[in-house]
Every structure is written in structure tokens, then in C-alpha cells.
Amino acid sequence: MPAKDIYHDAVKNALIKDGWTITADPYTIEYEDAELYADLAAEKPIAAELNGRKIIVEIKSFISPSLMRDFENALGQYILYRNLLKLNNQRYEIYLAVRDSIFDTFFQRKSIQAVVKLNEIALIVFSNEREEIVEWIN
């Protein structure tokens, strides 16, 4: 079982405040001989849809000396999880959760914005202090 990210509880509480039900903590992604653990799975009922909306959330701290290295790791993990979910025909949207301070600085770099757009990375921007979702970016 992987260690929890330092912002794990802040993101979990922010999702609950936003009306989500946490359905797995962590969420196991299995495909053939691979077994990986995404941080959270959550579901939110939507009146217009019978089955609601389901998401997988991978939380990243970006606290190492190299933010670019953190981004490399986060990007690889995000793409791997997304691909395995597709191969399993699982109907989850996958999000990368990042702190608002990292989003407002590192994620505003043109190179990072271009890679995020190219790889269609969905983001949850959260406030660690308020334990709230600041923005959903698809």
C-alpha cells in the first residue's frame, strides 16, 4: 500500500465539502499483471444521470527541490492510470489534484500549460488551508 500524500486529507475533505462521496481510499487499478493505487475514488450523484459522475483523483504535493521532476512523475502516473482505466473499460474521469499555490506559479509556465493541454490533463486545484476545491479544469 502506498504512503499517503501530505495533502491527502485536505483534498479528501475538499471533495466531501463539494458534495462528493469518497468510494475508495486508495482506489486499486488492476489490469493483467499490473496493480496500482490511485489516491481516491469519488462519486457524485447527478439528478439528470442515473449513475452519477465518478472520478479518480491522484494528489501531488510538488514539494521536492525539482518541481519539473515532480511534474514528470505526476504526468507519467496520470497517463498510466488513465490508460489502464480505459483498457478496463472503467467509466471514471481522472484528475490530478494540485495546491492553488503550485497552480498559480509552476502551472502557469508556458511549457507546463502546453504539456497539460497536449495531454488533456484534468486538474483539481485545491486550497490546503481551507480544504476546499478552488477550481476544476478540464
Side-chain angles (χ1 to χ4, degrees):
M1 196 71 57
K4 290 183 179 179
D5 184 273
I6 62 171
Y7 300 115
H8 185 94
D9 290 337
V11 173
K12 185 176 177 179
N13 292 334
L15 287 168
I16 292 169
K17 277 185 183 178
D18 201 47
W20 292 86
T21 300
I22 305 300
T23 57
D25 177 8
Y27 179 78
T28 305
I29 300 172
E30 295 177 308
Y31 182 76
E32 298 290 338
D33 58 346
E35 184 176 289
L36 303 167
Y37 300 95
D39 290 316
L40 296 169
E43 187 171 333
K44 188 173 194 175
I46 299 173
E49 296 179 27
L50 186 58
N51 293 326
R53 185 173 168 212
K54 297 178 180 179
I55 61 172
I56 299 291
V57 179
E58 184 59 26
I59 304 159
K60 289 298 169 200
S61 300
F62 288 88
I63 56 173
S64 82
S66 172
L67 295 179
M68 192 58 80
R69 182 59 142 173
D70 288 346
F71 183 67
E72 289 174 358
N73 290 333
L75 178 63
Q77 205 169 12
Y78 181 93
I79 291 170
L80 179 60
Y81 290 178
R82 181 173 61 195
N83 288 345
L84 292 178
L85 289 168
K86 280 183 185 175
L87 289 168
N88 273 338
N89 294 316
Q90 294 186 349
R91 306 178 112 195
Y92 283 96
E93 299 170 57
I94 185 165
Y95 284 86
L96 180 65
V98 298
R99 283 179 293 142
D100 51 357
S101 58
I102 289 297
F103 180 77
D104 292 342
T105 54
F106 182 75
F107 277 80
Q108 297 309 309
R109 293 171 60 166
K110 287 183 180 180
S111 60
I112 301 305
Q113 287 182 341
V115 171
V116 166
K117 184 176 180 180
L118 182 66
N119 288 284
E120 300 177 342
I121 298 172
L123 298 170
I124 296 174
V125 181
F126 68 93
S127 164
N128 182 50
E129 294 79 20
R130 296 189 318 264
E131 295 188 342
E132 292 178 351
I133 305 294
V134 173
E135 188 173 0
W136 294 84
I137 301 171
N138 290 314

Short mmCIF file of all heavy atoms in Angstrom, two decimals, residues 95-137:
data_model
loop_
_atom_site.label_atom_id
_atom_site.label_comp_id
_atom_site.label_asym_id
_atom_site.label_seq_id
_atom_site.Cartn_x
_atom_site.Cartn_y
_atom_site.Cartn_z
N TYR A 95 -8.43 12.88 -12.44
CA TYR A 95 -7.97 14.24 -12.14
C TYR A 95 -6.65 14.20 -11.39
O TYR A 95 -6.41 13.31 -10.58
CB TYR A 95 -8.99 14.98 -11.27
CG TYR A 95 -10.19 15.44 -12.03
CD1 TYR A 95 -11.29 14.59 -12.20
CD2 TYR A 95 -10.25 16.70 -12.58
CE1 TYR A 95 -12.40 15.00 -12.91
CE2 TYR A 95 -11.37 17.13 -13.29
CZ TYR A 95 -12.43 16.27 -13.46
OH TYR A 95 -13.53 16.68 -14.16
N LEU A 96 -5.84 15.18 -11.64
CA LEU A 96 -4.62 15.42 -10.88
C LEU A 96 -4.92 16.60 -9.95
O LEU A 96 -5.30 17.67 -10.41
CB LEU A 96 -3.47 15.76 -11.83
CG LEU A 96 -2.12 16.03 -11.21
CD1 LEU A 96 -1.58 14.77 -10.55
CD2 LEU A 96 -1.14 16.50 -12.29
N ALA A 97 -4.78 16.37 -8.63
CA ALA A 97 -5.06 17.43 -7.66
C ALA A 97 -3.76 18.13 -7.28
O ALA A 97 -2.79 17.47 -6.89
CB ALA A 97 -5.73 16.85 -6.42
N VAL A 98 -3.76 19.46 -7.41
CA VAL A 98 -2.58 20.27 -7.06
C VAL A 98 -3.01 21.47 -6.22
O VAL A 98 -4.11 22.00 -6.39
CB VAL A 98 -1.81 20.75 -8.31
CG1 VAL A 98 -1.27 19.56 -9.11
CG2 VAL A 98 -2.66 21.63 -9.20
N ARG A 99 -2.12 21.90 -5.33
CA ARG A 99 -2.39 23.06 -4.48
C ARG A 99 -2.55 24.32 -5.33
O ARG A 99 -1.91 24.46 -6.37
CB ARG A 99 -1.22 23.32 -3.52
CG ARG A 99 -1.14 22.43 -2.35
CD ARG A 99 0.07 22.78 -1.50
NE ARG A 99 1.28 22.45 -2.27
CZ ARG A 99 2.38 23.17 -2.25
NH1 ARG A 99 2.47 24.27 -1.53
NH2 ARG A 99 3.44 22.81 -2.96
N ASP A 100 -3.33 25.26 -4.84
CA ASP A 100 -3.53 26.51 -5.55
C ASP A 100 -2.23 27.30 -5.73
O ASP A 100 -2.00 27.90 -6.77
CB ASP A 100 -4.60 27.37 -4.88
CG ASP A 100 -4.39 27.58 -3.39
OD1 ASP A 100 -3.41 27.02 -2.81
OD2 ASP A 100 -5.21 28.29 -2.78
N SER A 101 -1.34 27.25 -4.74
CA SER A 101 -0.08 28.00 -4.86
C SER A 101 0.82 27.42 -5.96
O SER A 101 1.50 28.18 -6.66
CB SER A 101 0.66 28.02 -3.52
OG SER A 101 0.93 26.71 -3.08
N ILE A 102 0.81 26.11 -6.14
CA ILE A 102 1.58 25.48 -7.23
C ILE A 102 0.91 25.77 -8.57
O ILE A 102 1.58 26.05 -9.57
CB ILE A 102 1.72 23.96 -6.99
CG1 ILE A 102 2.66 23.69 -5.82
CG2 ILE A 102 2.18 23.23 -8.24
CD1 ILE A 102 4.09 24.15 -6.04
N PHE A 103 -0.41 25.71 -8.59
CA PHE A 103 -1.11 26.02 -9.84
C PHE A 103 -0.86 27.47 -10.25
O PHE A 103 -0.63 27.74 -11.43
CB PHE A 103 -2.62 25.78 -9.68
CG PHE A 103 -3.38 26.08 -10.94
CD1 PHE A 103 -3.36 25.20 -12.01
CD2 PHE A 103 -4.07 27.28 -11.08
CE1 PHE A 103 -4.02 25.49 -13.19
CE2 PHE A 103 -4.72 27.58 -12.25
CZ PHE A 103 -4.70 26.69 -13.31
N ASP A 104 -0.86 28.38 -9.30
CA ASP A 104 -0.70 29.81 -9.61
C ASP A 104 0.73 30.17 -10.01
O ASP A 104 0.96 31.27 -10.52
CB ASP A 104 -1.11 30.66 -8.41
CG ASP A 104 -2.61 30.59 -8.15
OD1 ASP A 104 -3.36 30.18 -9.06
OD2 ASP A 104 -3.02 30.94 -7.03
N THR A 105 1.67 29.29 -9.78
CA THR A 105 3.06 29.59 -10.13
C THR A 105 3.56 28.60 -11.20
O THR A 105 3.56 28.92 -12.38
CB THR A 105 3.96 29.54 -8.88
OG1 THR A 105 3.80 28.28 -8.22
CG2 THR A 105 3.61 30.66 -7.92
N PHE A 106 3.90 27.41 -10.78
CA PHE A 106 4.50 26.43 -11.70
C PHE A 106 3.59 26.10 -12.88
O PHE A 106 4.06 26.04 -14.03
CB PHE A 106 4.84 25.15 -10.92
CG PHE A 106 5.51 24.10 -11.74
CD1 PHE A 106 6.84 24.23 -12.12
CD2 PHE A 106 4.81 22.97 -12.15
CE1 PHE A 106 7.45 23.27 -12.89
CE2 PHE A 106 5.41 22.00 -12.91
CZ PHE A 106 6.74 22.15 -13.29
N PHE A 107 2.31 25.89 -12.63
CA PHE A 107 1.38 25.50 -13.70
C PHE A 107 1.04 26.67 -14.64
O PHE A 107 0.35 26.47 -15.63
CB PHE A 107 0.11 24.86 -13.14
CG PHE A 107 0.30 23.39 -12.83
CD1 PHE A 107 0.93 23.00 -11.66
CD2 PHE A 107 -0.13 22.41 -13.71
CE1 PHE A 107 1.14 21.65 -11.38
CE2 PHE A 107 0.07 21.06 -13.43
CZ PHE A 107 0.70 20.68 -12.27
N GLN A 108 1.53 27.86 -14.34
CA GLN A 108 1.33 29.00 -15.25
C GLN A 108 2.47 29.13 -16.25
O GLN A 108 2.39 29.95 -17.17
CB GLN A 108 1.17 30.29 -14.46
CG GLN A 108 -0.07 30.27 -13.55
CD GLN A 108 -1.34 29.88 -14.29
OE1 GLN A 108 -1.67 30.44 -15.34
NE2 GLN A 108 -2.04 28.87 -13.78
N ARG A 109 3.53 28.34 -16.07
CA ARG A 109 4.63 28.36 -17.04
C ARG A 109 4.09 27.90 -18.40
O ARG A 109 3.30 26.96 -18.48
CB ARG A 109 5.76 27.44 -16.58
CG ARG A 109 6.44 27.95 -15.32
CD ARG A 109 7.41 26.96 -14.74
NE ARG A 109 8.46 26.64 -15.69
CZ ARG A 109 9.59 26.02 -15.36
NH1 ARG A 109 9.80 25.65 -14.10
NH2 ARG A 109 10.50 25.75 -16.28
N LYS A 110 4.54 28.56 -19.48
CA LYS A 110 4.03 28.23 -20.81
C LYS A 110 4.30 26.78 -21.18
O LYS A 110 3.46 26.11 -21.79
CB LYS A 110 4.64 29.17 -21.85
CG LYS A 110 4.07 30.56 -21.78
CD LYS A 110 4.63 31.45 -22.87
CE LYS A 110 4.02 32.83 -22.74
NZ LYS A 110 4.50 33.75 -23.76
N SER A 111 5.47 26.27 -20.81
CA SER A 111 5.80 24.88 -21.15
C SER A 111 4.87 23.90 -20.43
O SER A 111 4.42 22.91 -21.01
CB SER A 111 7.26 24.57 -20.78
OG SER A 111 7.46 24.76 -19.38
N ILE A 112 4.55 24.19 -19.19
CA ILE A 112 3.68 23.29 -18.42
C ILE A 112 2.25 23.39 -18.95
O ILE A 112 1.58 22.37 -19.13
CB ILE A 112 3.74 23.63 -16.92
CG1 ILE A 112 5.18 23.50 -16.40
CG2 ILE A 112 2.78 22.75 -16.11
CD1 ILE A 112 5.84 22.16 -16.65
N GLN A 113 1.79 24.59 -19.24
CA GLN A 113 0.45 24.75 -19.82
C GLN A 113 0.33 23.99 -21.14
O GLN A 113 -0.69 23.34 -21.40
CB GLN A 113 0.13 26.22 -20.03
CG GLN A 113 -0.13 26.96 -18.74
CD GLN A 113 -0.49 28.42 -18.99
OE1 GLN A 113 -0.22 28.99 -20.04
NE2 GLN A 113 -1.11 29.03 -17.99
N ALA A 114 1.37 24.03 -21.95
CA ALA A 114 1.33 23.34 -23.24
C ALA A 114 1.26 21.82 -23.05
O ALA A 114 0.50 21.13 -23.74
CB ALA A 114 2.57 23.71 -24.07
N VAL A 115 2.03 21.29 -22.11
CA VAL A 115 2.02 19.84 -21.86
C VAL A 115 0.69 19.41 -21.26
O VAL A 115 0.13 18.36 -21.64
CB VAL A 115 3.21 19.44 -20.96
CG1 VAL A 115 3.10 17.99 -20.52
CG2 VAL A 115 4.53 19.68 -21.68
N VAL A 116 0.15 20.21 -20.36
CA VAL A 116 -1.15 19.90 -19.75
C VAL A 116 -2.22 19.85 -20.84
O VAL A 116 -3.03 18.93 -20.90
CB VAL A 116 -1.50 20.92 -18.65
CG1 VAL A 116 -2.97 20.83 -18.26
CG2 VAL A 116 -0.61 20.70 -17.43
N LYS A 117 -2.20 20.84 -21.73
CA LYS A 117 -3.19 20.89 -22.82
C LYS A 117 -2.99 19.73 -23.80
O LYS A 117 -3.96 19.06 -24.18
CB LYS A 117 -3.08 22.22 -23.55
CG LYS A 117 -4.12 22.40 -24.63
CD LYS A 117 -4.03 23.77 -25.25
CE LYS A 117 -5.10 23.91 -26.33
NZ LYS A 117 -5.05 25.22 -26.97
N LEU A 118 -1.75 19.47 -24.19
CA LEU A 118 -1.45 18.40 -25.14
C LEU A 118 -1.91 17.03 -24.62
O LEU A 118 -2.43 16.21 -25.37
CB LEU A 118 0.05 18.38 -25.43
CG LEU A 118 0.54 17.36 -26.44
CD1 LEU A 118 0.00 17.70 -27.83
CD2 LEU A 118 2.06 17.34 -26.46
N ASN A 119 -1.73 16.80 -23.34
CA ASN A 119 -2.08 15.51 -22.74
C ASN A 119 -3.48 15.49 -22.12
O ASN A 119 -3.86 14.50 -21.50
CB ASN A 119 -1.04 15.12 -21.69
CG ASN A 119 0.25 14.72 -22.34
OD1 ASN A 119 0.36 13.61 -22.87
ND2 ASN A 119 1.23 15.61 -22.34
N GLU A 120 -4.21 16.59 -22.30
CA GLU A 120 -5.58 16.69 -21.81
C GLU A 120 -5.68 16.27 -20.34
O GLU A 120 -6.49 15.41 -19.98
CB GLU A 120 -6.51 15.86 -22.69
CG GLU A 120 -6.51 16.32 -24.13
CD GLU A 120 -7.37 15.46 -25.03
OE1 GLU A 120 -7.70 14.33 -24.65
OE2 GLU A 120 -7.69 15.93 -26.13
N ILE A 121 -4.84 16.88 -19.52
CA ILE A 121 -4.83 16.57 -18.10
C ILE A 121 -5.90 17.39 -17.40
O ILE A 121 -5.92 18.62 -17.49
CB ILE A 121 -3.45 16.88 -17.48
CG1 ILE A 121 -2.40 15.99 -18.15
CG2 ILE A 121 -3.46 16.66 -15.97
CD1 ILE A 121 -0.98 16.33 -17.77
N ALA A 122 -6.79 16.70 -16.71
CA ALA A 122 -7.82 17.37 -15.93
C ALA A 122 -7.26 17.65 -14.54
O ALA A 122 -6.62 16.78 -13.94
CB ALA A 122 -9.06 16.50 -15.85
N LEU A 123 -7.49 18.86 -14.05
CA LEU A 123 -6.91 19.28 -12.77
C LEU A 123 -7.99 19.64 -11.77
O LEU A 123 -9.04 20.20 -12.13
CB LEU A 123 -6.01 20.50 -12.97
CG LEU A 123 -4.79 20.34 -13.87
CD1 LEU A 123 -4.16 21.70 -14.15
CD2 LEU A 123 -3.78 19.40 -13.22
N ILE A 124 -7.70 19.34 -10.53
CA ILE A 124 -8.44 19.89 -9.39
C ILE A 124 -7.46 20.79 -8.67
O ILE A 124 -6.41 20.32 -8.22
CB ILE A 124 -8.95 18.80 -8.43
CG1 ILE A 124 -9.96 17.90 -9.11
CG2 ILE A 124 -9.55 19.43 -7.17
CD1 ILE A 124 -10.39 16.71 -8.26
N VAL A 125 -7.79 22.06 -8.57
CA VAL A 125 -6.96 23.00 -7.83
C VAL A 125 -7.62 23.17 -6.47
O VAL A 125 -8.81 23.48 -6.38
CB VAL A 125 -6.85 24.35 -8.56
CG1 VAL A 125 -5.96 25.31 -7.79
CG2 VAL A 125 -6.34 24.14 -9.99
N PHE A 126 -6.84 22.94 -5.40
CA PHE A 126 -7.44 23.00 -4.06
C PHE A 126 -6.65 23.93 -3.15
O PHE A 126 -5.46 24.17 -3.36
CB PHE A 126 -7.52 21.60 -3.43
CG PHE A 126 -6.17 21.00 -3.10
CD1 PHE A 126 -5.62 21.16 -1.83
CD2 PHE A 126 -5.45 20.30 -4.04
CE1 PHE A 126 -4.39 20.61 -1.51
CE2 PHE A 126 -4.21 19.76 -3.74
CZ PHE A 126 -3.68 19.91 -2.47
N SER A 127 -7.36 24.43 -2.15
CA SER A 127 -6.73 25.23 -1.10
C SER A 127 -6.46 24.30 0.07
O SER A 127 -7.41 23.73 0.64
CB SER A 127 -7.64 26.38 -0.65
OG SER A 127 -7.19 26.90 0.58
N ASN A 128 -5.21 24.15 0.42
CA ASN A 128 -4.86 23.30 1.55
C ASN A 128 -5.34 23.91 2.86
O ASN A 128 -5.83 23.19 3.73
CB ASN A 128 -3.34 23.10 1.59
CG ASN A 128 -2.93 22.20 2.71
OD1 ASN A 128 -3.49 21.13 2.87
ND2 ASN A 128 -1.95 22.63 3.49
N GLU A 129 -5.24 25.21 2.99
CA GLU A 129 -5.62 25.88 4.23
C GLU A 129 -7.13 25.78 4.49
O GLU A 129 -7.55 25.51 5.61
CB GLU A 129 -5.20 27.36 4.20
CG GLU A 129 -3.70 27.57 4.18
CD GLU A 129 -3.09 27.38 2.78
OE1 GLU A 129 -3.82 27.45 1.76
OE2 GLU A 129 -1.88 27.13 2.71
N ARG A 130 -7.92 26.01 3.47
CA ARG A 130 -9.38 25.99 3.63
C ARG A 130 -9.99 24.62 3.37
O ARG A 130 -11.18 24.41 3.58
CB ARG A 130 -10.03 27.02 2.69
CG ARG A 130 -9.62 28.46 3.01
CD ARG A 130 -10.43 29.48 2.21
NE ARG A 130 -10.65 29.14 0.84
CZ ARG A 130 -9.92 29.55 -0.20
NH1 ARG A 130 -8.92 30.36 0.01
NH2 ARG A 130 -10.20 29.17 -1.43
N GLU A 131 -9.18 23.70 2.88
CA GLU A 131 -9.63 22.37 2.47
C GLU A 131 -10.86 22.49 1.56
O GLU A 131 -11.91 21.91 1.81
CB GLU A 131 -9.92 21.49 3.70
CG GLU A 131 -8.66 21.19 4.49
CD GLU A 131 -8.86 20.17 5.59
OE1 GLU A 131 -10.01 19.91 5.99
OE2 GLU A 131 -7.84 19.62 6.06
N GLU A 132 -10.69 23.26 0.50
CA GLU A 132 -11.76 23.50 -0.47
C GLU A 132 -11.22 23.37 -1.89
O GLU A 132 -10.05 23.66 -2.15
CB GLU A 132 -12.33 24.91 -0.31
CG GLU A 132 -13.08 25.11 0.98
CD GLU A 132 -13.59 26.54 1.14
OE1 GLU A 132 -13.21 27.42 0.33
OE2 GLU A 132 -14.35 26.77 2.09
N ILE A 133 -12.13 22.99 -2.79
CA ILE A 133 -11.80 22.99 -4.21
C ILE A 133 -11.87 24.43 -4.69
O ILE A 133 -12.87 25.12 -4.48
CB ILE A 133 -12.81 22.14 -5.02
CG1 ILE A 133 -12.91 20.71 -4.48
CG2 ILE A 133 -12.47 22.16 -6.51
CD1 ILE A 133 -11.70 19.87 -4.61
N VAL A 134 -10.81 24.90 -5.33
CA VAL A 134 -10.76 26.26 -5.86
C VAL A 134 -11.26 26.28 -7.30
O VAL A 134 -11.98 27.19 -7.71
CB VAL A 134 -9.32 26.82 -5.79
CG1 VAL A 134 -9.20 28.17 -6.47
CG2 VAL A 134 -8.86 26.89 -4.34
N GLU A 135 -10.88 25.24 -8.06
CA GLU A 135 -11.22 25.23 -9.48
C GLU A 135 -11.12 23.83 -10.05
O GLU A 135 -10.23 23.05 -9.67
CB GLU A 135 -10.25 26.17 -10.22
CG GLU A 135 -10.58 26.42 -11.65
CD GLU A 135 -9.68 27.49 -12.28
OE1 GLU A 135 -8.81 28.04 -11.59
OE2 GLU A 135 -9.86 27.76 -13.46
N TRP A 136 -12.03 23.50 -10.95
CA TRP A 136 -11.97 22.27 -11.74
C TRP A 136 -11.54 22.69 -13.13
O TRP A 136 -12.14 23.59 -13.72
CB TRP A 136 -13.34 21.60 -11.83
CG TRP A 136 -13.87 21.09 -10.53
CD1 TRP A 136 -14.55 21.80 -9.58
CD2 TRP A 136 -13.78 19.75 -10.05
NE1 TRP A 136 -14.88 20.98 -8.53
CE2 TRP A 136 -14.43 19.71 -8.79
CE3 TRP A 136 -13.23 18.58 -10.54
CZ2 TRP A 136 -14.53 18.55 -8.03
CZ3 TRP A 136 -13.34 17.42 -9.78
CH2 TRP A 136 -13.97 17.40 -8.54
N ILE A 137 -10.51 22.06 -13.68
CA ILE A 137 -10.05 22.41 -15.02
C ILE A 137 -10.05 21.15 -15.87
O ILE A 137 -9.35 20.18 -15.58
CB ILE A 137 -8.63 23.02 -14.97
CG1 ILE A 137 -8.64 24.28 -14.09
CG2 ILE A 137 -8.12 23.32 -16.38
CD1 ILE A 137 -7.28 24.84 -13.80
#
